[in-house]
Amino acid sequence: MESACFAARAPCGGRGRKTFPRSVTRLNLAAHAAECEENMLNKKSVDDINVKGKRVLVRCDFNVPLQDGQITDDTRLVAALPTIKKLIADGGKVILCSHLGKPKGEPKPELSLAPVAAALEKLLGQPVKFAADATVVGENAKAAVAAMNDGDVVLLENTRYRAEETKNGEAFSKELASICDVFVNDAFGTAHRAHCSNVGVTQYVDTAVVGYLMQKEIDFLGNAVNNPVRPFVAILGGSKVSSKISVISNLLDKVDVLIIGGGMAYTFMKAMGYEVGKSLLEEDYIDYAKEMIEKAKAKGVKLLTPVDTVVAKEFSNDVPFHTVGLGDIAADEEGLDIGEETCKLYADAIKSAKTVVWNGPMGVFEMSNFAKGTIAVAQALAEIDATTIIGGGDSAAAVNQLGFGDKMTHISTGGGASLEFLEGKELPGVVAANDK
Ligand code: ADP
Ligand code: MG
């Protein structure tokens, strides 16, 4: 329910202002929200600096899927290339770092970044020196960096080999800073966390900027939510109200239309006085849903909830299913997708939109019998002439899996980070970069 920086864990402020915000009262929330937006949207990027001859540490997201030491999907490596190539072309000494999996603060050979170095070498068409160091910034890394010429590339070992990494410890942050002159953050997926390799390090370098991937996320998520071309429609779904409460509240302050689907819709239906059978229901959030319905009314936001539902007696793709109207879910049935009438209603509401933000599938899309609602919404988004933005891990997976990936304007690469963006929170990884 909190808005803006009210709930943020992150220090509120750009570089040089790393204190926690003054106590925020409800009265100055709006002003504070505006300040938060400013801290997030106006960051220096790799286009604003000169890296010639400088050691540039780049925090990438090389958290790739591995099977028996082989990278099974190199999407994240390919996505990182524009920033890396730009820094090479500008004559920087490019030192890459990333986490991979969860080694829990100790060296785990199966989570070494060595395979990433080999893959990057092929993608870049030039050597990538892998600095195999159990302590990440050890003798190997220091020697490799000392030997670099302009345009060379070095990759450090998995940053999460160090226990301090996820605790934003001072020693490791300083070590990372000691081997670079400039820091570039291009890892959006971890931007909502304050770790050594994305936040701590920036306290000990003069220049900290964002890379192209980060810039793209800031531009699309930030500008869509804060400066949308209207009508602005948000579509929220997924499993639970509880995981999206701040998103619902924040978006109600910004949108013209809010569409609710997925598992969270049943808590809203219950709040409106309808029975929902065995559907996903969060009793503790019924009052919250009522509050949001009232908030929508007060703000003049059109709030759409399902008018029909696809139900089954079990959470399974192998049992009979049928569609029922609002309030007609039997006690032994659960709602697993929005119905056909709802699909039409939602597609219609989406038609006139100029900006759409979508987070959370409309049903249990992983099962083909209950994917139709999610497909209908994806189809509607694919057909309109608008900026369409997908945030959230499962939503991004759904859109890609169902074949609509290339029809969207932007699919965020950071599940948790994109959600926090939509909540109006400050992301420590973004805030830590220098302001323009
Ligand atoms: P995201 O990762 O995009 O933020 P969530 O994690 O909130 O999305 O929700 C995604 C999950 O919600 C999916 O696994 C989907 O199966 C589930 N879901 C959607 N509709 C329902 C429903 N009616 N009942 C149960 N689960 C649902
Ligand atoms: Mg999810």
Side-chain angles (χ1 to χ4, degrees), residues 32-311:
H32 196 65
E35 191 184 320
C36 289
E37 277 164 34
E38 229 175 88
N39 285 335
M40 296 277 290
L41 299 183
N42 202 26
K43 293 300 175 182
K44 274 192 184 161
S45 82
V46 285
D47 284 332
D48 301 315
I49 54 169
N50 178 2
V51 298
K52 173 84 186 136
K54 293 187 180 148
R55 299 167 303 165
V56 189
L57 178 65
V58 192
R59 174 51 158 109
C60 299
D61 180 0
F62 293 152
N63 189 24
V64 289
L66 284 173
Q67 211 162 30
D68 306 322
Q70 299 293 314
I71 297 167
T72 54
D73 179 355
D74 70 355
T75 308
R76 286 185 168 161
L77 305 188
V78 173
L81 296 178
T83 298
I84 300 171
K85 283 183 176 166
K86 152 86 176 160
L87 295 168
I88 294 170
D90 287 356
K93 296 173 173 139
V94 185
I95 308 156
L96 307 173
C97 71
S98 173
H99 80 281
L100 173 60
K102 292 181 176 165
K104 304 248 168 78
E106 55 185 74
K108 296 237 169 75
E110 68 276 18
L111 291 176
S112 168
L113 278 173
V116 170
L120 276 177
E121 212 162 75
K122 285 199 191 109
L123 289 169
L124 285 169
Q126 77 170 72
V128 173
K129 168 96 184 141
F130 181 60
D133 258 316
T135 56
V136 188
V137 186
E139 292 316 311
N140 276 333
K142 285 178 195 159
V145 171
M148 288 177 94
N149 292 312
D150 295 357
D152 280 355
V153 181
V154 163
L155 173 64
L156 304 182
E157 186 50 284
N158 189 343
T159 52
R160 291 195 190 165
Y161 274 15
R162 292 286 292 267
E164 309 101 291
E165 161 72 334
T166 54
K167 300 182 181 83
N168 198 13
E170 190 178 313
F172 185 41
S173 299
K174 280 184 175 164
E175 284 171 40
L176 286 166
S178 75
I179 55 166
C180 70
D181 309 300
V182 172
F183 174 75
V184 177
N185 189 358
D186 213 15
F188 183 68
T190 47
H192 58 315
R193 305 278 181 245
H195 294 168
C196 296
S197 67
N198 69 338
V199 172
V201 60
T202 66
Q203 276 161 334
Y204 308 103
V205 292
D206 290 331
T207 307
V209 302
V210 297
Y212 290 132
L213 277 178
M214 282 283 267
Q215 188 64 59
K216 197 166 165 239
E217 297 279 0
I218 296 169
D219 287 348
F220 280 111
L221 287 167
N223 286 325
V225 175
N226 297 306
N227 312 303
V229 181
R230 294 186 183 275
F232 178 19
V233 176
I235 307 161
L236 291 179
S239 46
K240 291 173 174 174
V241 174
S242 57
S243 63
K244 308 269 169 89
I245 64 172
S246 308
V247 180
I248 302 170
S249 182
N250 187 47
L251 287 178
L252 274 176
D253 289 329
K254 322 244 178 193
V255 300
D256 301 297
V257 181
L258 181 65
I259 293 175
I260 304 270
M264 69 159 71
Y266 306 103
T267 304
F268 277 86
M269 282 184 202
K270 188 80 179 175
M272 293 187 285
Y274 299 106
E275 287 310 318
V276 298
K278 290 195 302 175
S279 306
L280 204 66
L281 172 67
E282 291 176 288
E283 302 264 2
D284 292 350
Y285 287 88
I286 295 172
D287 282 345
Y288 176 77
K290 284 182 187 162
E291 222 177 277
M292 290 302 106
I293 292 167
E294 287 309 311
K295 181 168 178 177
K297 267 189 210 145
K299 296 249 164 202
V301 172
K302 193 167 165 189
L303 179 70
L304 297 179
T305 52
V307 292
D308 59 353
T309 303
V310 181
V311 297

Side-chain angles (χ1 to χ4, degrees), residues 237-241 243-244 261-266 278-281 309-310 315 334-338 358-367 370 374 390-398 415-416 418-419:
S239 46
K240 291 173 174 174
V241 174
S243 63
K244 308 269 169 89
M264 69 159 71
Y266 306 103
K278 290 195 302 175
S279 306
L280 204 66
L281 172 67
T309 303
V310 181
F315 190 83
E334 60 186 303
L336 297 171
D337 196 9
I338 55 173
W358 180 15
N359 168 271
M362 294 292 99
V364 187
F365 74 96
E366 297 92 336
M367 303 185 206
F370 311 109
T374 304
I390 316 298
D394 290 293
S395 316
S418 66
L419 260 188

